[in-house]
């Protein structure tokens, strides 16, 4: 695993300071050999030019040479284009060993987990914030919504940077996560409400690369048939984060004060950052080869995803649907106290344990999904190759109905005459629906639009974050006006309509893609 340390941020710093004395890259050796081969062939090239005077004028600025056993190199208008040695080149992220791939995937998953934990770990602190600063529940909730809004906006800033070859994926991860860890210290010590809100926004802003760029990193290193596995785990981690957050801080904030939630987040994020700094290698092939235009990539990352959303109804539907689902997830943070404290008399600490229903459900359906994928999908791919990309929506056609089903159960069983566990079963079912919807969307979009995958996931992340931030703010007045039954039922009806849209996309998505100038048709 020496190459992981060599290719990490730490390894690049060492190489920058000491050159290749400590670690020599294979490609560096090949470049030296290439220079020798070019020099050795110089005489032959000059002889060829003399023998063909008619072509000498056209080709006087063009030289070509192929190194033995190395990458092909051509010098055209002084632009050096470098490719892999061969199809089995171990520097190519698609050819990494499974151990290296799984290590990178594990790092990105725990990184993503800390991001989502960071949003909801604040929820038990809201009572202390209200008491210390004399603000309303709605104002205290801004600490949650601004964090979510921050990482939605941040995806538009940092995801394009990850597509620029001279920057790559790893640099935005490390730099922004370092700022996040640093800002957790003042967030744990802040003594004024305005400062708390500003810090919460910037905390969300600086962890945003985990949300959009991680999907692109997975695409860099995993073949298409294996992507659903890692996306399934990643989607489960993203759902677990908000459900675990309140559990981590619900009891400690009662005893130690509302600042304690940020101290706990620092203890979680700090070790993860150290692991990433020393062992997260670059995954972008373009960055490794330094071939693409930064201007073109920036345009594709910032403008193209919104152009696709406007012109392609399929991707627009996925953006709206996942945004709605994510917003519903965050309304639970407002609905739970109304039901489990207001109706069942839970203490704040025990209330946090209720969110474990989201986590417990995933321990059941994530392994089942992966088993089904291995037994059915991979076998089908081996026999018949990859079918239409709409096949990735099959898993959600029926399981998407678990979301409205769970919402209706939660809405109408939160009463004193019905045991509290029944409503939590509804929460678990809705969690299953959220998982399968996100899984299908996060797999469908990259396969339809592989060229713009990272940028579309960034736009999708912004949509999710905006709707989640809005949901945190509109949920309290909605529940006050309509009650938990009416408010949650309204959300359930919207998801039923989206289930119908999902079936439409499955049957007519191929025709929509055939009319799209962006999508890849199978």
């Amino acid at each position: 695993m020496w190459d992981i340390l060599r290719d990490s941020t730490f390894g690049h710093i060492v190489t920058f300071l000491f050159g290749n004395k400590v670690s020599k890259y294979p490609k560096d050796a090949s470049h030296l050999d290439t220079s020798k081969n070019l020099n050795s062939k110089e005489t032959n090239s000059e002889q060829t030019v003399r023998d063909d005077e008619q072509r000498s004028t056209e080709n006087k600025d063009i030289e070509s040479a192929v190194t033995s056993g190395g990458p092909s190199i051509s010098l055209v208008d002084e632009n050096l284009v470098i490719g892999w040695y061969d199809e089995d080149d171990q520097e190519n992220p698609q050819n990494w060993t499974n151990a290296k791939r799984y290590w990178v995937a594990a790092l990105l998953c725990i990184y993503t987990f800390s991001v989502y934990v960071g949003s909801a770990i604040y929820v038990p602190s809201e009572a202390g914030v209200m008491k210390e600063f004399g603000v309303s529940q709605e104002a205290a909730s801004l600490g949650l919504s601004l964090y979510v809004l921050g990482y939605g906006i941040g995806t538009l800033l940092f995801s394009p940077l990850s597509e620029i070859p001279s920057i790559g994926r790893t640099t935005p991860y490390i730099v922004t996560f370092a700022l996040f860890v640093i800002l957790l210290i003042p967030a744990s010590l802040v003594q004024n409400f305005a400062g708390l809100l500003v810090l919460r926004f910037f905390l969300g802003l600086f962890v945003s690369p985990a949300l959009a760029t991680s999907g692109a990193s997975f695409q860099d290193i995993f073949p298409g048939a294996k992507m659903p596995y890692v996306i399934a785990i990643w989607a489960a981690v993203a759902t677990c984060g908000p459900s675990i957050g309140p559990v981590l801080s619900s009891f400690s904030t009662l005893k130690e004060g509302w600042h304690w939630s940020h101290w706990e987040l620092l203890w979680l994020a700090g070790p993860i950052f150290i692991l990433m700094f020393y062992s997260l290698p670059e995954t972008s092939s373009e960055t490794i080869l330094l071939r693409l235009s930064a201007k073109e990539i920036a345009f594709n990352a910032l403008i193209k995803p919104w152009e696709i959303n406007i012109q392609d109804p399929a991707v627009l539907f996925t953006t709206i649907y996942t945004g709605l689902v994510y917003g519903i997830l965050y309304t639970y943070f407002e609905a739970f106290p109304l039901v489990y404290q207001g109706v069942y008399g839970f203490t704040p600490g025990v209330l946090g344990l209720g969110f474990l229903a989201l986590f417990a459900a995933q321990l059941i359906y994530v392994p089942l999904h992966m088993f089904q994928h291995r037994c059915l999908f991979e076998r089908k791919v081996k026999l018949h190759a990859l079918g239409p990309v709409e096949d990735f929506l099959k898993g959600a056609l029926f399981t998407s109905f678990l979301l409205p089903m769970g919402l209706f159960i939660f809405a109408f069983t939160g009463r004193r005459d019905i045991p509290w566990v029944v409503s939590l079963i509804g929460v678990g079912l809705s969690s299953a629906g959220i998982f399968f919807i996100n899984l299908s969307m996060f797999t469908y979009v990259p396969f339809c639009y592989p060229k713009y995958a990272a940028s579309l996931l960034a736009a999708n992340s912004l949509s999710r974050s905006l709707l989640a931030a809005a949901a945190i703010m509109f949920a309290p007045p909605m529940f006050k006006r309509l009650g938990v039954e009416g408010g949650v039922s309204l959300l359930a009806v919207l998801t039923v309509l989206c289930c119908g849209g999902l079936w439409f996309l499955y049957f007519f998505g191929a025709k929509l893609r055939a009319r799209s100038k962006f999508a890849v048709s199978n």
Side-chain angles (χ1 to χ4, degrees):
M1 302 293 280
W2 166 251
D3 57 333
I4 290 182
L5 180 63
R6 180 199 68 190
D7 295 336
S8 68
T9 302
F10 171 77
H12 286 300
I13 293 174
V14 171
T15 301
F16 175 78
L17 294 176
F18 301 102
N20 286 333
K21 297 178 181 178
V22 176
S23 174
K24 192 171 186 178
Y25 287 84
K27 61 184 180 184
D28 294 332
S30 73
H31 288 176
L32 292 174
D33 293 341
T34 298
S35 299
K36 294 177 181 178
N37 286 333
L38 285 172
N39 291 333
S40 68
K41 294 178 181 289
E42 185 176 2
T43 303
N44 292 336
S45 298
E46 291 175 354
Q47 181 64 44
T48 302
V49 172
R50 287 196 296 269
D51 291 343
D52 192 356
E53 294 182 356
Q54 283 187 330
R55 298 180 59 191
S56 63
T57 302
E58 299 176 3
N59 297 325
K60 63 181 180 181
D61 294 326
I62 303 177
E63 299 178 50
S64 64
V66 178
T67 62
S68 178
S72 62
I73 298 183
S74 60
L75 187 63
V76 182
D77 295 331
E78 300 182 352
N79 290 322
L80 188 65
V81 180
I82 303 174
W84 302 116
Y85 292 111
D86 50 46
E87 292 183 357
D88 298 323
D89 189 345
Q90 291 301 304
E91 294 297 303
N92 184 344
Q94 286 287 320
N95 294 330
W96 284 355
T97 63
N98 285 334
K100 189 172 181 179
R101 287 174 178 160
Y102 297 151
W103 176 254
V104 172
L107 282 178
L108 294 178
C109 282
I110 61 174
Y111 172 38
T112 302
F113 176 75
S114 68
V115 170
Y116 282 103
V117 164
S119 65
I121 201 171
Y122 168 80
V123 172
S125 296
E126 290 182 3
V129 169
M130 294 167 59
K131 182 178 180 180
E132 180 166 337
F133 299 117
V135 297
S136 64
Q137 174 67 54
E138 289 77 8
S141 297
L142 282 172
L144 176 59
S145 61
L146 286 175
Y147 182 101
V148 175
L149 180 63
Y151 64 58
I153 294 175
T155 56
L156 295 184
L157 299 176
F158 300 118
S159 184
L161 292 179
S162 74
E163 300 284 3
I164 299 174
S166 59
I167 296 176
R169 314 274 193 225
T170 303
T171 300
Y173 287 146
I174 297 299
V175 173
T176 57
F177 201 31
L179 292 171
F180 174 80
V181 172
I182 292 170
L183 287 178
L184 281 173
I185 298 174
S188 303
L189 300 170
V190 64
Q191 296 296 328
N192 64 85
F193 184 60
L196 172 65
L197 296 184
V198 171
L199 286 167
R200 286 291 296 177
F201 174 79
F202 280 105
L203 285 172
L205 185 75
F206 289 133
V207 287
S208 57
L211 310 184
T213 311
S214 291
S217 295
F218 295 142
Q219 195 174 42
D220 290 338
I221 62 178
F222 285 97
K226 300 297 182 181
M227 274 288 287
Y229 288 114
V230 69
I231 292 296
I233 296 173
W234 186 51
V237 166
T239 305
C240 282
S243 65
I244 296 295
V247 179
L248 295 178
S249 62
S250 58
F251 289 101
S252 59
T253 53
L254 288 175
K255 182 175 178 59
E256 302 293 342
W258 66 268
H259 286 94
W260 206 251
S261 58
H262 287 112
W263 285 120
E264 290 182 336
L265 186 57
L266 176 61
W267 299 334
L268 172 65
I272 295 173
F273 169 75
I274 294 172
L275 278 175
M276 292 175 63
F277 180 77
Y278 281 99
S279 63
L280 181 65
E282 180 58 56
T283 63
S284 171
S285 297
E286 289 79 11
T287 297
I288 298 172
L289 294 174
L290 290 175
R291 293 181 58 181
L292 298 183
S293 163
K295 181 178 179 181
E296 178 185 357
I297 291 297
F299 175 82
N300 287 339
L302 290 171
I303 307 299
K304 192 62 67 177
W306 303 110
E307 181 183 357
I308 297 174
N309 270 277
I310 292 172
Q311 298 187 23
D312 195 318
V315 70
L316 179 62
F317 171 75
T318 65
T319 301
I320 295 174
Y321 195 9
T322 53
L324 174 63
V325 167
Y326 200 62
I328 289 173
L329 177 62
Y330 273 83
T331 61
Y332 274 134
F333 297 114
E334 304 300 328
F336 265 42
L338 297 176
V339 174
Y340 298 111
Q341 285 184 298
V343 176
Y344 295 108
F346 282 16
T347 65
V350 176
L351 172 66
L353 297 177
F355 290 98
L356 286 177
L358 295 165
F359 172 73
Q362 292 179 73
L363 295 179
I364 300 173
Y365 53 74
V366 173
L368 287 176
H369 161 74
M370 298 180 74
F371 177 77
Q372 175 267 338
H373 178 80
R374 181 172 180 81
C375 294
L376 299 180
F377 180 79
E378 282 200 14
R379 183 175 299 175
K380 178 183 176 182
V381 170
K382 289 179 181 178
L383 294 175
H384 307 291
L386 187 67
V389 293
E390 282 71 29
D391 283 353
F392 289 112
L393 301 176
K394 282 184 176 180
L397 290 178
F398 292 100
T399 55
S400 62
F401 286 98
L402 293 174
L403 176 55
M405 185 187 306
L407 289 173
F408 280 125
I409 292 174
F410 176 76
F412 291 101
T413 60
R415 307 200 308 259
R416 289 188 181 276
D417 58 330
I418 299 177
W420 55 265
V421 70
V422 177
S423 61
L424 284 181
I425 291 174
V427 172
L429 289 175
S430 64
S431 174
I434 290 172
F435 168 78
F436 285 110
I437 292 166
N438 284 337
L439 176 64
S440 63
M441 298 295 104
F442 292 162
T443 310
Y444 174 74
V445 171
F447 274 93
C448 280
Y449 313 91
K451 182 178 179 181
Y452 309 107
S455 301
L456 283 171
L457 290 174
N460 187 287
S461 178
L462 176 62
S463 169
R464 285 181 285 136
S465 300
L466 289 175
L467 284 175
I472 294 166
M473 301 312 298
F474 74 64
M478 178 182 71
F479 291 140
K480 288 179 181 178
R481 185 175 182 85
L482 302 178
V484 173
E485 290 184 2
V488 175
S489 296
L490 174 61
L491 297 175
V493 170
L494 293 177
T495 62
V496 170
L497 296 176
C498 288
C499 289
L502 189 63
W503 279 83
F504 180 88
L505 185 62
Y506 174 73
F507 285 108
F508 299 100
K511 293 182 179 179
L512 293 175
R513 286 189 295 110
R515 295 164 53 186
S516 172
K517 63 180 181 179
F518 305 109
V520 174
S521 298
N522 292 32

